[in-house]
Amino acid sequence: MRLYNVDHVGIAVFDLDAALSDYERLYGVFPLYRETVEAQGVEEAMIPVGGSFVQLLQPLSADSPVGRFLASRGEGLHHLAFAVDDIEVALSELAEQGARLVDTVPRSGGRGARIAFVHPSTLGGTLVELVELSHDH
Ligand code: CO
């Protein structure tokens, strides 16, 4: 597999509007996409910075992965996302290396991408997301 970009850094927030206004006021940056991703139980906003994004995640309910993360850890860094060209190849290579996969099969992410998560126990506490971008973007 080849990682060709840090696609985004995912940040968990309680209030997406408040967080977006902080990013705008402090850093002068704005979201390019904002969408509800039911499959992940989040409303997300993607703020472009250079060739990567900051992804702000607000849970749709307390009983969702990001909702539970916020309850136990509070706001802040949630995951690191790498862009890959072939997500199936990446998952099978990781499995061969003994990585603990949260998703053995890719699922739908924002922007029409296919994504899969790798458990934080595999990489020193960092949850990693693999992203295979849609060719429409
Ligand atoms: Co993400």
Side-chain angles (χ1 to χ4, degrees):
M1 109 184 68
R2 190 175 67 87
L3 305 183
Y4 65 86
N5 194 20
V6 173
D7 182 74
H8 63 269
V9 174
I11 310 284
V13 301
F14 286 110
D15 183 333
L16 188 54
D17 290 316
L20 285 170
S21 117
D22 287 341
Y23 274 82
E24 178 183 345
R25 178 173 52 85
L26 295 170
Y27 296 104
V29 291
F30 302 89
L32 184 59
Y33 307 96
R34 179 169 177 163
E35 64 185 301
T36 296
V37 184
E38 298 281 355
Q40 291 186 71
V42 294
E43 182 177 2
E44 69 175 46
M46 296 291 268
I47 302 171
V49 179
S52 303
F53 291 88
V54 174
Q55 178 186 59
L56 300 179
L57 301 161
Q58 177 186 317
L60 298 176
S61 74
D63 181 30
S64 64
V66 175
R68 289 189 291 273
F69 176 92
L70 281 170
S72 68
R73 309 260 300 261
E75 291 188 310
L77 184 62
H78 182 262
H79 64 271
L80 176 60
F82 294 124
V84 297
D85 44 14
D86 186 327
I87 198 166
E88 273 91 3
V89 167
L91 286 171
S92 81
E93 289 182 10
L94 285 162
E96 276 170 29
Q97 292 298 320
R100 184 172 159 198
L101 304 178
V102 176
D103 302 298
T104 54
V105 173
R107 54 184 158 128
S108 299
R111 295 173 292 157
R114 297 198 306 148
I115 66 171
F117 285 94
V118 184
H119 196 275
S121 63
T122 296
L123 194 67
T126 299
L127 175 63
V128 169
E129 176 184 353
L130 305 173
V131 180
E132 183 187 303
L133 293 171
S134 156
H135 298 296
D136 300 336
H137 285 81

